[in-house]
Amino acid sequence: ANQFEMSRMIFLWLVSLLQAQYVQALISTQPVSTLLQEHAEQIAKLKSITTQEVGSIDSVPYSNDVFYLRYCLEFADSEEDPETALLENLKWRQGALGQPITRSAAQAVAEATADGGWNNDVVTAAAPYGEQITKYLKAENAITTTTHQGDLIYCIRAGAIDDNALMKEVSVDQMKEFFLYAKEVNWLASLERSQEADKLVSIVTANDLSGVKLIGGSKDFRLALSASSKESAALYPATNGPTLLLNLPPLLSALVKLFTPLFPESVKARLRFEQGPLSKVSSLAQVAQAGETREEFLSQIDKLVY
């Protein structure tokens, strides 16, 4: 009974993460150059608003037109307007919480890509509370890599994280700040890659639930993850690709089969459930390294996402 109740709570938590996201899972096939032309008038208006709010827009992310394009795409079929959303986000980016995060992330990404590659040590070193958090959150249980199609895919294996020990070293707010920094880094990388490749880069999330704790996991860790997901949904429009829930334990899998038909279509459109991908991978770091393990995983992602 306890396991069933915990499975139900974890399932509802996963659903809350999805409902915090924007309506559409975005995988665009149109070239960025075409999209920029189609939305040129709206982009010019958004750039003018940004200039009034922040002054110079000569530095990232404001110097990249894909920054404004994402607002145009997010609200293209919405009653909400991109101008209001942009203004709210600019307030956050210049505020007490957002400004340190965005400045640190921009500097870290610039240094990480200085030689044309990606130096993740620089990004990790600049993360808020990174000294404490990266003892538990590391490449073996959380990585970001690139799909065959050039999208980013963030993989996390929560069951391999000692979340109880982690949350004894940081608060929920500090953990949330770390997650927002990670999302800002991925956002900046997606903007740059979109412009370079003439392809709108999305961020796919793969939650590997192998070994997830049905009893005894940290409620604070889940709270921090949920809070950061909710905030980032508003901060990073038209960015999220599908969310993959991989290798669910039997009780969670049963709940999925029972409740998925009741989900709103907007939630179901973003969800992918699958047994198998990553199940035989001992460390997620293997997925980021060239070789058979990476190729097998990316081929599985091709079938699930594209």
Side-chain angles (χ1 to χ4, degrees):
N2 286 340
Q3 279 204 342
F4 180 83
E5 180 60 20
M6 285 303 300
S7 295
R8 187 183 71 84
M9 290 175 63
I10 292 173
F11 176 75
L12 293 175
W13 167 67
L14 291 170
V15 172
S16 74
L17 291 182
L18 291 165
Q19 290 176 328
Q21 307 297 318
Y22 273 101
V23 173
Q24 298 187 54
L26 182 72
I27 297 289
S28 176
T29 56
Q30 283 187 279
V32 164
S33 54
T34 300
L35 292 169
L36 290 173
Q37 289 176 358
E38 289 179 0
H39 297 277
E41 185 176 344
Q42 184 72 65
I43 288 172
K45 185 184 297 185
L46 295 176
K47 291 175 78 171
S48 176
I49 290 172
T50 304
T51 302
Q52 292 174 19
E53 291 296 313
V54 306
S56 172
I57 58 171
D58 292 337
S59 58
V60 294
Y62 310 123
S63 57
N64 189 327
D65 282 0
V66 181
F67 174 88
Y68 309 99
L69 174 63
R70 291 199 186 274
Y71 284 89
C72 299
L73 296 174
E74 182 64 57
F75 298 98
D77 300 313
S78 172
E79 293 182 1
E80 297 181 66
D81 62 87
E83 292 89 348
T84 300
L86 175 63
L87 281 168
E88 286 299 313
N89 288 350
L90 291 176
K91 289 178 184 177
W92 180 84
R93 299 183 74 85
Q94 297 178 93
L97 175 60
Q99 190 173 79
I101 290 174
T102 56
R103 285 185 174 178
S104 293
Q107 183 175 350
V109 170
E111 293 179 13
T113 56
D115 62 357
W118 181 267
N119 182 354
N120 202 60
D121 290 339
V122 173
V123 174
T124 301
Y129 312 104
E131 185 176 349
Q132 298 96 318
I133 293 170
T134 56
K135 289 189 292 184
Y136 305 95
L137 216 64
K138 40 197 170 184
E140 66 188 48
N141 52 42
I143 59 118
T144 299
T145 189
T146 308
T147 69
H148 284 143
Q149 286 74 15
D151 291 309
L152 297 176
I153 180 164
Y154 172 64
C155 307
I156 183 167
R157 180 178 280 170
I161 301 169
D162 189 350
D163 50 5
N164 287 307
L166 167 57
M167 296 311 293
K168 288 178 181 177
E169 297 205 30
V170 293
S171 68
V172 171
D173 284 342
Q174 289 170 338
M175 191 72 236
K176 183 183 76 169
E177 191 173 334
F178 177 91
F179 281 134
L180 287 174
Y181 167 84
K183 290 176 184 295
E184 177 75 11
V185 166
N186 283 343
W187 160 262
L188 293 174
S190 76
L191 294 179
E192 184 175 338
R193 295 184 184 196
S194 295
Q195 193 171 53
E196 290 176 353
D198 199 23
K199 174 203 181 306
L200 195 66
V201 172
S202 296
I203 301 174
V204 178
T205 300
N207 288 289
D208 178 23
L209 298 173
S210 301
V212 70
K213 304 177 188 74
L214 298 183
I215 297 177
S218 170
K219 186 183 296 184
D220 283 346
F221 182 77
R222 293 197 295 270
L223 182 60
L225 194 57
S226 298
S228 64
S229 181
K230 183 177 180 179
E231 288 193 31
S232 65
L235 292 170
Y236 308 114
T239 301
N240 293 317
T243 294
L244 316 179
L245 300 179
L246 308 175
N247 308 314
L248 276 71
L251 282 174
L252 273 177
S253 184
L255 286 169
V256 164
K257 291 178 181 177
L258 181 64
F259 288 106
T260 298
L262 305 178
F263 289 172
E265 290 300 321
S266 59
V267 173
K268 287 192 285 186
R270 296 195 303 275
L271 275 174
R272 307 284 191 279
F273 297 99
E274 189 71 18
Q275 299 293 124
L278 298 177
S279 62
K280 297 179 181 179
V281 178
S282 58
S283 168
L284 295 186
Q286 295 173 263
V287 172
Q289 300 165 357
E292 290 184 11
T293 299
R294 173 178 171 80
E295 284 306 308
E296 181 181 3
F297 173 66
L298 293 184
S299 295
Q300 292 168 328
I301 295 304
D302 288 343
K303 295 176 182 177
L304 277 172
V305 175
Y306 301 101

